[in-house]
Amino acid sequence: MSEFRGYTGKSLEFLKNNRITVGDNVKILADLTYLGIIMPRYEHSDDSHLVLKLKSGYNIGLEIEKIKKIEITSSPKKNIEKVESVEKNPNLPKILLLSTGGTIASKVDYRTGAVTPVLSAEELNSSVPELSKIANMDAEVLFSEYSENIMPEHWLKIADKLKEHSNSDYSGIIIAHGTDTMHYTSSFLSFALAGFPIPIALVGSQRSSDRASSDAALNLIGAVKFLIDCKTNGVYIVMHQDENDETIACHFGTRVRKNHTSKRGAFQTVGDDPAFIVVNEQVQRNARNNFFKVKEFQPRIKINTKVALIKYHPGYDPSLLEKIIEMNYDGIIFEGTGLGHIGKIMYGNVKKANEKGIFLGMTSQCIDGRVRMTVYESGRDLLDLGIIPLENMIPEVALVKTMWTLGNFQDRNEIKKIMLENIASELSD
Amino acid sequence: MSEFRGYTGKSLEFLKNNRITVGDNVKILADLTYLGIIMPRYEHSDDSHLVLKLKSGYNIGLEIEKIKKIEITSSPKKNIEKVESVEKNPNLPKILLLSTGGTIASKVDYRTGAVTPVLSAEELNSSVPELSKIANMDAEVLFSEYSENIMPEHWLKIADKLKEHSNSDYSGIIIAHGTDTMHYTSSFLSFALAGFPIPIALVGSQRSSDRASSDAALNLIGAVKFLIDCKTNGVYIVMHQDENDETIACHFGTRVRKNHTSKRGAFQTVGDDPAFIVVNEQVQRNARNNFFKVKEFQPRIKINTKVALIKYHPGYDPSLLEKIIEMNYDGIIFEGTGLGHIGKIMYGNVKKANEKGIFLGMTSQCIDGRVRMTVYESGRDLLDLGIIPLENMIPEVALVKTMWTLGNFQDRNEIKKIMLENIASELSD
């Protein structure tokens, strides 16, 4: 029954009556005329829709009752169901795709319905055939984890693998990654591989590829175009800019957050436009973009994870900070209020932490804007207690940067210096 | 020298040459023509600007070199320097202002330059004289704290004081409050005083009143207009909508965050427009506004502060959660990743917390969007471990609601029920 995979009830009957099976290229007349491929369906499917993959790579759901006419234009089922070997075109640039898991790096097995990792360039090209027209894709699976299970150890693995390719002939490297913690990973790579000679794009998707409106293919295509045409290096997150399919946004890996749980345009550059956008196949640079990048590639792939993030709030019990001190943490990032404040109730423990030599950095839970601790008395008190104001560094980025700095540098003054130095556009004007 | 308070060098000379002193009403011809009052200056002043308070209440800085002409229109210095008693107009609605501290509730003492709390309706009216034209203002100082030092005990004090006025003839009540933690306070009041018969507006300012471009006066005037004309109840935060002075935004107290460290439009309703705006002296309701409010006033002014907020991130050490369990916390709010996830590494301790009867709620560090824990396997695992998904409740609000719920209800099932019930618009569609 794989030819009607996932279709039941009314939708199954509709397909049978029209002698159409999954994988057929069809032309559908409904409110508009649609050209595309009938996609299989999976769990939680209703029986009143067909799912159609449009040429753009976008999946849509069409209500059967509204379909006036459907006809087969061709039946290239085998192209979909079977892995085909893709001929390489020596004139195209080379792109490497490293997959780490998450929806983006998965391919639905049309026989079993299971989501499996993309294993080869061939499989990748068969799920997003547009890629083979713009680049010669190599692919490698590093591991397969949902991103909430990505740990700092995984960051090290990814960085080590990238380092191996620092002298390769790739035009750029894609890291397929779950979206939940993609911005933490992009931060670490930005610091650990600052100055890496070719651009790196982390790409995810917010909708799995078997669902209508999956963004996986467009994000991948956008990322490949970006890597080929951006004419710069650095670590970026490349995702839909918003709900439409016109624009793919390329965010600096250290200035970006997942700001929405489910929207396709979930990632945003904090306080600015994205560094680049890909629109109408053109890569456009943000004119105001004067972000900073180090020139020389000097990998530093070590980490110290004894860093805590404290989001201060009314009712925060300072004995929690006391426990962190007792547990021999080496760094604490505060997500303070407003311009970078925490209540007076914390001062005693902060003093103790400072005396113990723990690195203390201040960011703001406002997320946008700049920490300024000289405006109010309370900020000045905190400066006296040894807390370093981290400018407009995003709290999550400050956390990762502290882990990285404490892993690669020992001297206390040097640590402070590095934390305030712009390594990978984590600070902006 | 109080007549030239704060002016030095070039600016002092300029004032003397033109026989102008602080408090004079002047007409200034520069790039445009300005009408306003010469304001005193305080610390960190340069000597190249005059500060002028416009009729709108807005302070601007004017460069002396660009002033072509300056003339006195009147010299009502005494109105500014001396507290005058304000005649009440029995036809105007009554508004109560409770002050708790922060820049907004302060008045610059023109003799000493010190920032002191507003002590009386008279002093309030003399610093924002526009208020007496639209309302009879009563004022009371509850306490005077920067908002980073506001603790849950202060929330209780404010709530108790408001409760005293639940049967008064006020049209509404203003709470002047520092901006840093204003949204935590507004959340608590929303729950503790759900159904309070008259509207309550928390008002702050992002610029102290002695600085050019202070937003204090306009926010207060907007709040009074809102309270008089909104024709509803509830707890709101009333602040500039953006950098211009056209629009004052009125946010539901449970759907709002301080999202920028310094901008005047720092507060934003998460995922929606503000509930109301005041523009051109008109109060406009957001048409899409179908937020929820309980009908009956039933104050519940208790709190249990043994609630921890855990922002999960790669590298989070589960032994921190272990400590929280050991410290006998009664509730934990997770700021998970994406749709509401935390790493598998946490499962063992989460299970333990659940078995101990600790309330476990899930929100998202994305801030915008809705937690949905049935999409991925990992979310379903967390549901099985007893974590309650808190829909689209903002993490900070979920924290405060948990403190409030655990303070006022005992039964474990009732606590879960209340946490998912829409008490004060903390949940939306």
Side-chain angles (χ1 to χ4, degrees), chain A residues 103 148-149 151-152 155 180 184 257-261 311-315 317 320 329 335 337-338 341 343-344 365-370 376 378 396 399, chain B residues 103 148-149 151-152 155 180 184 257-261 311-315 317 320 329 335 337-338 341 343-344 365-370 376 378 396 399:
Chain A
T103 313
E148 63 270 26
N149 294 323
M151 302 281 125
W155 299 343
D180 268 24
Y184 293 93
R257 263 192 117 246
K258 187 175 183 180
N259 277 347
H260 198 283
T261 59
K311 180 166 172 173
Y312 178 76
H313 56 77
D317 180 355
L320 282 173
Y329 270 72
E335 258 193 59
T337 63
H341 302 131
K344 279 185 293 199
Q365 61 192 254
C366 295
I367 298 168
D368 202 355
R370 189 172 296 272
Y376 294 99
S378 33
E396 294 87 346
L399 173 77
Chain B
T103 313
E148 62 270 27
N149 293 323
M151 301 281 126
W155 299 343
D180 268 24
Y184 293 93
R257 262 190 118 247
K258 186 174 184 181
N259 277 347
H260 197 284
T261 59
K311 180 164 172 173
Y312 179 76
H313 55 79
D317 180 353
L320 283 172
Y329 269 72
E335 258 192 59
T337 63
H341 302 134
K344 280 184 292 197
Q365 61 193 256
C366 295
I367 298 169
D368 203 354
R370 189 172 295 273
Y376 293 98
S378 32
E396 293 87 346
L399 174 76

Coordinates of all heavy atoms in Angstrom, one line a residue, chain A residues 103 148-149 151-152 155 180 184 257-261 311-315 317 320 329 335 337-338 341 343-344 365-370 376 378 396 399, chain B residues 103 148-149 151-152 155 180 184 257-261 311-315 317 320 329 335 337-338 341 343-344 365-370 376 378 396 399:
Chain A
T103 N 15.2 17.8 12.5 CA 14.2 17.6 11.4 C 14.9 17.8 10.1 O 14.7 17.0 9.1 CB 13.1 18.6 11.5 OG1 12.6 18.6 12.9 CG2 12.0 18.2 10.6
E148 N 17.8 19.6 21.6 CA 17.8 19.8 23.0 C 18.7 18.8 23.7 O 19.0 19.0 24.9 CB 16.4 19.7 23.6 CG 15.7 18.3 23.4 CD 14.9 18.3 22.0 OE1 15.3 19.0 21.1 OE2 14.0 17.5 22.0
N149 N 19.2 17.8 23.0 CA 20.2 16.8 23.6 C 21.6 17.1 23.1 O 22.5 16.3 23.4 CB 19.7 15.4 23.2 CG 18.4 15.0 23.9 OD1 18.2 15.4 25.0 ND2 17.6 14.3 23.1
M151 N 25.0 18.6 23.5 CA 25.8 19.0 24.7 C 27.1 19.7 24.2 O 27.5 19.5 23.0 CB 26.2 17.7 25.5 CG 25.0 16.9 26.0 SD 24.3 17.6 27.5 CE 22.6 17.7 26.9
P152 N 27.8 20.4 25.1 CA 29.1 21.0 24.7 C 30.0 19.9 24.0 O 30.8 20.3 23.2 CB 29.6 21.5 26.0 CG 28.4 21.9 26.8 CD 27.4 20.8 26.5
W155 N 29.5 20.1 20.5 CA 30.1 21.3 19.9 C 31.5 21.0 19.5 O 32.0 21.4 18.4 CB 30.1 22.5 20.8 CG 28.7 22.9 21.3 CD1 27.5 22.6 20.7 CD2 28.5 23.8 22.4 NE1 26.5 23.3 21.4 CE2 27.1 24.0 22.5 CE3 29.3 24.4 23.3 CZ2 26.5 24.8 23.4 CZ3 28.7 25.2 24.3 CH2 27.3 25.4 24.4
D180 N 16.3 24.0 18.1 CA 16.1 24.4 19.5 C 17.4 25.1 20.1 O 17.3 26.1 20.8 CB 15.8 23.2 20.4 CG 14.3 23.1 20.6 OD1 13.6 23.5 19.7 OD2 13.9 22.5 21.6
Y184 N 23.1 28.3 20.2 CA 24.2 28.0 21.1 C 25.4 27.4 20.4 O 26.5 27.8 20.6 CB 23.7 27.1 22.2 CG 22.7 27.6 23.2 CD1 21.3 27.4 23.0 CD2 23.1 28.3 24.4 CE1 20.4 27.9 23.9 CE2 22.1 28.7 25.3 CZ 20.8 28.5 25.0 OH 19.8 29.0 25.9
R257 N 18.9 34.7 17.9 CA 18.1 33.9 18.9 C 16.9 33.3 18.2 O 16.3 33.8 17.3 CB 17.5 34.9 19.9 CG 18.3 35.1 21.2 CD 17.4 35.8 22.2 NE 17.1 35.0 23.3 CZ 16.0 34.5 23.7 NH1 14.9 34.8 23.0 NH2 15.8 33.8 24.8
K258 N 16.5 32.1 18.7 CA 15.2 31.6 18.4 C 14.2 32.3 19.2 O 14.1 32.1 20.4 CB 15.2 30.1 18.6 CG 13.9 29.4 18.1 CD 14.0 27.9 18.3 CE 12.7 27.2 17.6 NZ 12.7 25.8 17.8
N259 N 13.4 33.2 18.6 CA 12.5 34.0 19.3 C 11.0 33.6 19.2 O 10.1 34.3 19.7 CB 12.6 35.5 18.8 CG 13.8 36.2 19.5 OD1 14.3 35.7 20.4 ND2 14.1 37.4 18.9
H260 N 10.8 32.5 18.5 CA 9.4 32.0 18.4 C 9.4 30.5 18.4 O 10.3 29.9 17.8 CB 8.7 32.5 17.2 CG 7.2 32.4 17.2 ND1 6.6 31.2 17.0 CD2 6.2 33.3 17.5 CE1 5.2 31.4 17.2 NE2 5.0 32.7 17.4
T261 N 8.5 29.9 19.1 CA 8.5 28.4 19.3 C 8.2 27.7 18.0 O 8.8 26.6 17.8 CB 7.5 28.0 20.3 OG1 6.2 28.4 19.9 CG2 7.7 28.5 21.7
K311 N 19.3 34.0 35.9 CA 18.4 35.0 35.5 C 17.8 35.5 36.8 O 17.0 34.9 37.5 CB 17.3 34.3 34.6 CG 16.3 35.3 34.2 CD 15.5 34.7 33.0 CE 14.3 35.6 32.7 NZ 13.6 35.1 31.4
Y312 N 18.1 36.8 37.1 CA 17.7 37.4 38.4 C 16.2 37.8 38.3 O 15.7 38.2 37.2 CB 18.5 38.6 38.7 CG 18.0 39.2 40.0 CD1 18.3 38.7 41.2 CD2 17.2 40.4 39.9 CE1 17.8 39.2 42.4 CE2 16.7 40.9 41.1 CZ 17.0 40.3 42.3 OH 16.5 40.9 43.5
H313 N 15.5 37.6 39.4 CA 14.0 38.0 39.4 C 13.7 38.3 40.8 O 14.4 37.8 41.8 CB 13.1 36.9 38.8 CG 13.3 35.6 39.5 ND1 12.8 35.3 40.7 CD2 14.0 34.5 39.1 CE1 13.1 34.1 41.1 NE2 13.9 33.5 40.1
P314 N 12.6 39.1 41.1 CA 12.2 39.3 42.4 C 11.9 38.0 43.1 O 11.2 37.1 42.5 CB 10.9 40.1 42.3 CG 11.0 40.8 40.9 CD 11.7 39.8 40.1
G315 N 12.4 37.7 44.3 CA 12.2 36.4 44.9 C 13.3 35.5 44.7 O 13.3 34.4 45.2
D317 N 16.4 33.6 45.4 CA 17.0 33.3 46.7 C 18.5 33.3 46.5 O 19.1 32.4 45.8 CB 16.5 32.0 47.2 CG 17.0 31.6 48.5 OD1 17.9 32.3 49.0 OD2 16.6 30.6 49.1
L320 N 20.8 30.2 46.3 CA 21.0 29.4 45.1 C 22.4 29.8 44.5 O 23.2 29.0 44.1 CB 20.0 29.7 44.0 CG 18.6 29.0 44.2 CD1 17.6 29.5 43.3 CD2 18.8 27.5 44.1
Y329 N 32.0 26.5 40.7 CA 31.9 27.1 39.3 C 33.0 28.1 39.0 O 33.5 28.7 40.0 CB 30.5 27.7 39.2 CG 29.5 26.7 38.7 CD1 29.0 25.7 39.5 CD2 29.0 26.8 37.4 CE1 28.1 24.8 39.0 CE2 28.1 25.8 36.9 CZ 27.6 24.9 37.7 OH 26.7 23.9 37.3
E335 N 21.8 37.2 34.0 CA 20.8 37.9 33.2 C 20.1 38.9 34.1 O 19.1 38.5 34.8 CB 19.8 36.9 32.6 CG 20.0 36.5 31.2 CD 18.8 35.8 30.6 OE1 17.7 36.3 30.6 OE2 19.0 34.6 30.2
T337 N 18.3 42.6 35.4 CA 17.1 43.4 34.9 C 17.6 44.7 34.2 O 18.7 45.1 34.5 CB 16.2 43.8 36.1 OG1 16.9 44.6 37.0 CG2 15.8 42.5 36.8
G338 N 16.8 45.2 33.3 CA 17.1 46.5 32.7 C 18.5 46.7 32.2 O 19.0 45.9 31.5
H341 N 21.1 45.0 36.3 CA 21.0 45.1 37.7 C 20.6 43.8 38.4 O 19.9 43.0 37.7 CB 19.9 46.2 38.1 CG 20.2 47.6 37.5 ND1 19.3 48.3 36.9 CD2 21.4 48.3 37.5 CE1 19.8 49.5 36.5 NE2 21.1 49.5 36.9
G343 N 19.2 42.6 42.6 CA 18.9 43.2 43.8 C 20.0 43.3 44.9 O 20.9 42.4 44.8
K344 N 19.9 44.2 45.8 CA 20.9 44.4 46.8 C 21.1 43.1 47.6 O 22.1 42.8 48.2 CB 20.4 45.5 47.8 CG 20.7 46.9 47.4 CD 20.3 47.9 48.4 CE 18.8 47.9 48.7 NZ 18.3 49.1 49.3
Q365 N 18.2 40.6 30.8 CA 17.1 39.8 30.4 C 16.2 40.5 29.4 O 15.2 39.9 28.9 CB 16.3 39.2 31.6 CG 15.7 40.3 32.5 CD 15.3 39.7 33.8 OE1 14.1 39.6 34.0 NE2 16.2 39.4 34.7
C366 N 16.4 41.8 29.2 CA 15.6 42.5 28.2 C 16.0 42.0 26.8 O 15.2 42.1 25.8 CB 16.0 44.0 28.2 SG 15.5 44.9 29.7
I367 N 17.2 41.4 26.7 CA 17.7 40.8 25.5 C 18.2 41.8 24.5 O 19.4 41.9 24.1 CB 16.8 39.8 24.8 CG1 16.5 38.6 25.8 CG2 17.4 39.3 23.5 CD1 15.4 37.7 25.4
D368 N 17.3 42.8 24.2 CA 17.7 43.8 23.2 C 18.3 45.0 24.0 O 17.8 45.3 25.1 CB 16.5 44.3 22.4 CG 17.0 44.9 21.1 OD1 18.2 45.1 20.9 OD2 16.1 45.2 20.2
G369 N 19.2 45.7 23.4 CA 19.8 46.9 24.1 C 21.1 46.6 24.8 O 21.6 45.4 24.7
R370 N 21.7 47.5 25.4 CA 23.0 47.4 25.9 C 23.0 47.6 27.4 O 22.3 48.4 28.0 CB 23.8 48.6 25.3 CG 25.3 48.6 25.5 CD 25.9 49.7 24.7 NE 25.8 49.5 23.3 CZ 26.6 48.7 22.5 NH1 27.7 48.3 23.1 NH2 26.4 48.5 21.3
Y376 N 22.9 54.1 37.1 CA 22.3 54.1 38.5 C 23.3 53.6 39.5 O 24.2 52.9 39.2 CB 21.0 53.3 38.6 CG 19.9 53.8 37.7 CD1 19.6 53.3 36.4 CD2 19.1 54.9 38.2 CE1 18.6 53.8 35.6 CE2 18.1 55.4 37.4 CZ 17.9 54.9 36.1 OH 16.9 55.4 35.4
S378 N 22.9 51.5 41.8 CA 23.0 50.0 41.9 C 23.9 49.4 40.9 O 24.6 48.4 41.2 CB 21.6 49.4 41.8 OG 20.8 50.2 40.9
E396 N 22.7 34.2 26.1 CA 23.1 32.9 25.8 C 24.5 32.9 25.1 O 25.2 31.9 25.3 CB 22.1 32.3 24.7 CG 20.6 32.1 25.3 CD 19.7 33.3 25.2 OE1 20.2 34.4 25.0 OE2 18.5 33.1 25.4
L399 N 27.1 33.3 27.8 CA 27.3 32.1 28.5 C 28.2 31.2 27.8 O 29.2 30.7 28.3 CB 25.9 31.3 28.6 CG 25.9 29.9 29.2 CD1 26.1 30.0 30.7 CD2 24.6 29.2 28.9
Chain B
T103 N 12.5 56.1 38.9 CA 12.7 57.5 38.3 C 11.3 58.2 38.2 O 11.2 59.4 38.5 CB 13.2 57.4 36.9 OG1 14.3 56.5 37.0 CG2 13.7 58.7 36.4
E148 N 14.9 47.0 40.9 CA 15.6 45.8 41.1 C 15.7 45.3 42.5 O 16.0 44.2 42.8 CB 17.1 45.9 40.5 CG 17.9 47.0 41.2 CD 17.8 48.3 40.5 OE1 16.7 48.6 39.9 OE2 18.8 49.1 40.6
N149 N 15.3 46.2 43.4 CA 15.2 45.9 44.9 C 13.8 45.6 45.4 O 13.6 45.4 46.5 CB 15.9 47.0 45.7 CG 17.4 47.1 45.4 OD1 18.0 46.1 45.3 ND2 17.9 48.3 45.4
M151 N 10.9 43.3 46.1 CA 10.9 41.9 46.5 C 9.4 41.5 46.6 O 8.5 42.3 46.6 CB 11.5 41.7 47.9 CG 12.9 42.1 48.1 SD 14.0 40.9 47.4 CE 15.0 41.9 46.2
P152 N 9.1 40.2 46.6 CA 7.7 39.8 46.8 C 7.0 40.4 48.0 O 5.8 40.7 47.9 CB 7.8 38.3 46.9 CG 9.0 37.9 46.1 CD 10.0 39.0 46.3
W155 N 5.4 43.4 46.7 CA 4.1 43.1 46.0 C 2.9 43.0 46.9 O 1.9 43.5 46.6 CB 4.2 41.8 45.2 CG 5.3 41.7 44.2 CD1 6.0 42.7 43.6 CD2 5.8 40.5 43.6 NE1 7.0 42.2 42.7 CE2 6.9 40.9 42.7 CE3 5.5 39.1 43.8 CZ2 7.6 39.9 42.0 CZ3 6.2 38.2 43.0 CH2 7.3 38.6 42.1
D180 N 12.5 48.3 35.8 CA 13.3 47.0 35.7 C 12.4 45.8 35.9 O 12.5 44.8 35.2 CB 14.5 47.0 36.6 CG 15.7 47.5 36.0 OD1 15.6 48.3 35.0 OD2 16.8 47.1 36.5
Y184 N 7.0 42.1 36.5 CA 6.8 41.1 37.6 C 5.7 41.5 38.5 O 4.8 40.8 38.9 CB 8.1 40.8 38.3 CG 9.3 40.2 37.5 CD1 10.2 40.9 36.9 CD2 9.4 38.8 37.5 CE1 11.3 40.3 36.2 CE2 10.4 38.2 36.8 CZ 11.4 39.0 36.2 OH 12.4 38.4 35.5
R257 N 6.6 42.5 28.6 CA 8.0 42.3 29.0 C 8.7 43.6 28.7 O 8.5 44.3 27.8 CB 8.7 41.3 28.1 CG 8.7 39.9 28.7 CD 9.7 39.0 27.8 NE 10.8 38.6 28.6 CZ 12.0 39.0 28.4 NH1 12.4 39.8 27.4 NH2 13.0 38.5 29.1
K258 N 9.8 43.9 29.5 CA 10.7 44.9 29.2 C 11.7 44.3 28.2 O 12.5 43.4 28.6 CB 11.4 45.4 30.4 CG 12.3 46.6 30.2 CD 12.9 47.2 31.4 CE 13.8 48.4 31.1 NZ 14.4 49.1 32.3
N259 N 11.6 44.7 26.9 CA 12.4 44.0 25.9 C 13.6 44.8 25.4 O 14.2 44.5 24.4 CB 11.5 43.7 24.7 CG 10.7 42.4 24.9 OD1 11.0 41.6 25.8 ND2 9.7 42.1 24.1
H260 N 13.8 46.0 26.0 CA 15.0 46.8 25.6 C 15.5 47.5 26.8 O 14.7 47.9 27.7 CB 14.6 47.8 24.5 CG 15.8 48.4 23.8 ND1 16.6 49.3 24.4 CD2 16.3 48.1 22.6 CE1 17.6 49.6 23.5 NE2 17.4 48.9 22.4
T261 N 16.8 47.5 26.9 CA 17.4 48.1 28.2 C 17.1 49.6 28.3 O 17.0 50.1 29.4 CB 18.9 47.9 28.2 OG1 19.5 48.5 27.1 CG2 19.3 46.4 28.2
K311 N 16.5 28.2 33.4 CA 16.6 28.4 32.0 C 17.6 27.3 31.5 O 18.8 27.3 31.7 CB 17.2 29.8 31.7 CG 17.4 30.1 30.2 CD 17.5 31.6 30.0 CE 17.9 31.9 28.6 NZ 17.9 33.3 28.3
Y312 N 17.0 26.3 30.7 CA 17.9 25.2 30.3 C 18.8 25.6 29.1 O 18.4 26.4 28.3 CB 17.0 24.0 29.8 CG 17.8 22.9 29.3 CD1 18.5 22.1 30.2 CD2 18.0 22.7 28.0 CE1 19.3 21.1 29.8 CE2 18.8 21.7 27.5 CZ 19.5 20.9 28.4 OH 20.3 19.9 28.0
H313 N 20.0 25.1 29.1 CA 20.9 25.4 28.0 C 21.9 24.2 27.9 O 22.1 23.5 28.8 CB 21.7 26.7 28.2 CG 22.4 26.7 29.6 ND1 23.6 26.1 29.8 CD2 22.1 27.3 30.7 CE1 24.0 26.3 31.0 NE2 23.1 27.0 31.6
P314 N 22.5 24.1 26.7 CA 23.5 23.0 26.6 C 24.6 23.3 27.6 O 25.0 24.4 27.8 CB 24.1 23.2 25.2 CG 23.0 24.0 24.4 CD 22.3 24.8 25.4
G315 N 24.9 22.2 28.4 CA 25.9 22.4 29.4 C 25.3 22.6 30.8 O 26.0 22.7 31.8
D317 N 24.0 21.8 34.2 CA 24.4 20.7 35.0 C 23.2 20.3 35.9 O 22.7 21.0 36.7 CB 25.6 21.1 35.9 CG 26.1 20.0 36.8 OD1 25.4 18.9 36.9 OD2 27.1 20.2 37.5
L320 N 22.6 21.1 39.6 CA 21.9 22.3 40.0 C 20.4 22.1 40.3 O 19.9 22.6 41.3 CB 22.1 23.4 39.0 CG 23.4 24.1 38.9 CD1 23.5 25.0 37.7 CD2 23.8 24.9 40.1
Y329 N 12.3 23.2 47.4 CA 11.5 24.1 46.6 C 10.1 23.5 46.4 O 10.0 22.2 46.3 CB 12.2 24.4 45.3 CG 13.1 25.7 45.4 CD1 14.2 25.7 46.2 CD2 12.7 26.9 44.8 CE1 15.0 26.8 46.3 CE2 13.4 28.0 45.0 CZ 14.6 28.0 45.7 OH 15.3 29.1 45.8
E335 N 12.4 27.3 31.7 CA 12.5 28.0 30.4 C 13.2 27.0 29.5 O 14.4 27.0 29.4 CB 13.3 29.3 30.6 CG 12.5 30.5 30.7 CD 13.3 31.8 30.5 OE1 13.9 31.9 29.4 OE2 13.3 32.6 31.4
T337 N 13.8 24.9 25.7 CA 14.1 25.3 24.4 C 12.9 25.1 23.5 O 12.1 24.3 23.8 CB 15.3 24.6 23.8 OG1 15.0 23.2 23.7 CG2 16.6 24.7 24.7
G338 N 12.9 25.8 22.4 CA 11.8 25.6 21.4 C 10.4 25.4 21.9 O 9.9 26.2 22.7
H341 N 11.4 22.0 25.6 CA 12.2 20.9 25.7 C 13.3 21.1 26.7 O 13.8 22.3 26.9 CB 12.8 20.4 24.4 CG 11.8 20.2 23.3 ND1 11.9 20.6 22.1 CD2 10.6 19.4 23.4 CE1 10.8 20.2 21.4 NE2 10.0 19.5 22.1
G343 N 17.1 18.8 27.9 CA 17.8 17.6 27.4 C 17.5 16.4 28.3 O 17.1 16.4 29.4
K344 N 17.7 15.2 27.7 CA 17.6 13.9 28.3 C 18.3 13.8 29.6 O 17.9 13.1 30.6 CB 18.0 12.8 27.4 CG 17.1 12.4 26.3 CD 17.6 11.2 25.5 CE 18.8 11.6 24.7 NZ 19.1 10.6 23.6
Q365 N 12.1 29.6 26.3 CA 13.0 30.7 26.3 C 12.9 31.5 25.0 O 13.5 32.5 24.8 CB 14.4 30.3 26.6 CG 15.0 29.3 25.6 CD 16.3 28.6 26.1 OE1 17.3 29.0 25.6 NE2 16.2 27.7 27.0
C366 N 12.1 30.9 24.0 CA 11.9 31.7 22.8 C 11.0 33.0 23.1 O 11.0 33.9 22.4 CB 11.1 30.9 21.8 SG 12.0 29.5 21.1
I367 N 10.3 32.9 24.2 CA 9.4 33.9 24.7 C 8.2 34.0 23.9 O 7.1 33.9 24.5 CB 10.1 35.3 24.9 CG1 11.3 35.2 25.9 CG2 9.2 36.4 25.3 CD1 12.2 36.4 25.9
D368 N 8.3 34.2 22.6 CA 7.1 34.3 21.8 C 6.7 32.9 21.3 O 7.5 32.1 21.0 CB 7.3 35.2 20.6 CG 6.0 35.8 20.0 OD1 4.9 35.4 20.5 OD2 6.1 36.7 19.2
G369 N 5.4 32.7 21.1 CA 4.9 31.4 20.7 C 4.4 30.5 21.8 O 4.5 31.0 23.0
R370 N 4.0 29.4 21.5 CA 3.3 28.5 22.4 C 4.1 27.2 22.7 O 4.7 26.7 21.7 CB 1.9 28.1 21.8 CG 0.9 27.4 22.6 CD -0.4 27.3 21.9 NE -1.0 28.7 21.7 CZ -1.7 29.3 22.6 NH1 -2.1 28.7 23.7 NH2 -2.2 30.5 22.4
Y376 N 7.2 16.4 19.5 CA 8.3 15.5 19.4 C 8.3 14.5 20.6 O 7.8 14.8 21.6 CB 9.6 16.3 19.4 CG 9.8 17.2 18.2 CD1 9.4 18.5 18.1 CD2 10.3 16.6 17.0 CE1 9.6 19.3 17.0 CE2 10.4 17.3 15.8 CZ 10.1 18.7 15.8 OH 10.2 19.4 14.7
S378 N 10.6 13.9 22.6 CA 11.2 14.4 23.8 C 10.2 15.2 24.7 O 10.2 15.1 25.9 CB 12.4 15.3 23.5 OG 12.2 16.0 22.3
E396 N 8.5 34.7 32.8 CA 8.5 35.5 34.1 C 7.1 35.5 34.7 O 6.9 35.5 35.9 CB 8.9 36.9 33.8 CG 10.3 37.1 33.3 CD 10.5 37.0 31.8 OE1 9.6 36.4 31.1 OE2 11.6 37.4 31.3
L399 N 6.4 32.2 36.4 CA 7.1 32.1 37.7 C 6.3 32.8 38.7 O 6.1 32.2 39.8 CB 8.5 32.9 37.5 CG 9.3 33.1 38.8 CD1 10.0 31.8 39.2 CD2 10.3 34.2 38.6

